[in-house]
Amino acid sequence: MTFETLTIDGAPAVRLQGPHGDSVTALLRGGQVISWIDASGTERLYCSPLSPLAGPQAVRGGVPVIFPQFSGRGPLMRHGFARTRDWALADTPAGAAHPTLVMRMEHSAAETALWAHDCVCTLAVALEAAGLRITLAVHNTGSSALSFHAALHTYLEVGDVTQATLTGVLPQGEVLSLAEPIDHLFESVPGPFALRSPASALDMAHEGFTDAVVWNPGPQAVIADLPAGGYARFLCVEAASVGVPVQLAPGAHWQGCQYLVTAA
């Protein structure tokens, strides 16, 4: 296992190299994973080449951390502030079973009247034998209860989304076709999920999160930081808690994880 800090296109970053040739790279801005290369040398995440890594906008691709607000469901900026804030490297837990990168963000109630709560968010990114596990944890360090949405807005490389299928979000094992644009919150879906496409065979599971969001804008969408035809390269499958916001008492902890496993 090797660990290095680096700068990519002007953005401070960190890279963790696993024992099997796999690696994960994350930006300290947003605590955002932007690359996961599996043991076969295959990049499993999509990151738009037109999206500046150093900001000021959120990076389009990888795994943006959505917190404490999903989309426009509240008074804050779209998808909340976590994905544009600076995170700090933190110590890996003693005795961690797998190579793990940990980042941490603190938020003070004094920072914005729109979300006046004290909390600490921690993101742990672990390279496991056959996949990637990302765990988001929230600790309410204030004296009042807080309510939030959370999601890992994962952009998965699929090669051609119109040829991709996803199972696990529809009842009775029905297959979700992705030939058309989609932007849908699937509430109370426990998973697991299976994504099959020309460029990707991934099995996915989540814990702690209650919902899944599936998004692809389709060919008609005009998105400034996405190249022409770029929509076809990715599918977002997000582990999320949105339908019913998380309620956290003073001093309490919450965590949710998303596990991506390469499939045959």
Side-chain angles (χ1 to χ4, degrees), residues 70-71 78 180-186 213-217 238:
F70 183 81
S71 189
R78 181 177 174 83
E180 300 294 332
I182 186 170
D183 185 2
H184 193 82
L185 168 65
F186 295 91
V213 179
V214 181
W215 178 70
N216 181 275
E238 311 171 39

Side-chain angles (χ1 to χ4, degrees), residues 36-77:
W36 167 41
I37 297 175
D38 67 17
S40 73
T42 302
E43 176 61 70
R44 294 290 181 169
L45 302 178
Y46 175 82
C47 199
S48 171
L50 299 184
S51 187
L53 300 184
Q57 293 80 20
V59 174
R60 184 171 299 284
V63 189
V65 176
I66 307 304
F67 175 88
Q69 176 183 304
F70 183 81
S71 189
R73 299 185 179 209
L76 296 170
M77 67 178 74

Side-chain angles (χ1 to χ4, degrees), residues 35-144:
S35 172
W36 167 41
I37 297 175
D38 67 17
S40 73
T42 302
E43 176 61 70
R44 294 290 181 169
L45 302 178
Y46 175 82
C47 199
S48 171
L50 299 184
S51 187
L53 300 184
Q57 293 80 20
V59 174
R60 184 171 299 284
V63 189
V65 176
I66 307 304
F67 175 88
Q69 176 183 304
F70 183 81
S71 189
R73 299 185 179 209
L76 296 170
M77 67 178 74
R78 181 177 174 83
H79 285 328
F81 50 73
R83 63 181 184 154
T84 55
R85 288 273 300 274
D86 290 332
W87 293 54
L89 286 175
D91 293 335
T92 300
H98 304 281
T100 303
L101 163 67
V102 182
M103 295 171 286
R104 187 173 185 267
M105 179 197 73
E106 294 188 31
H107 177 77
S108 166
E111 293 183 53
T112 173
L114 297 178
W115 205 74
H117 300 286
D118 296 322
C119 68
V120 175
C121 294
T122 304
L123 193 76
V125 185
L127 288 169
E128 300 195 1
L132 182 72
R133 184 183 297 272
I134 303 177
T135 303
L136 174 64
V138 180
H139 177 201
N140 183 355
T141 56
S143 57
S144 61

Side-chain angles (χ1 to χ4, degrees), residues 119-210:
C119 68
V120 175
C121 294
T122 304
L123 193 76
V125 185
L127 288 169
E128 300 195 1
L132 182 72
R133 184 183 297 272
I134 303 177
T135 303
L136 174 64
V138 180
H139 177 201
N140 183 355
T141 56
S143 57
S144 61
L146 57 85
S147 173
F148 62 87
H149 302 139
L152 298 174
H153 194 338
T154 309
Y155 286 72
L156 299 168
E157 174 70 61
V158 295
D160 182 358
V161 71
T162 66
Q163 301 299 313
T165 59
L166 181 67
T167 56
V169 294
L170 296 177
Q172 284 81 52
E174 294 179 56
V175 176
L176 178 67
S177 170
L178 299 157
E180 300 294 332
I182 186 170
D183 185 2
H184 193 82
L185 168 65
F186 295 91
E187 294 190 44
S188 301
V189 285
F193 314 108
L195 175 65
R196 300 295 182 263
S197 75
S200 183
L202 286 175
D203 294 330
M204 293 168 280
H206 62 222
E207 300 169 0
F209 292 105
T210 53

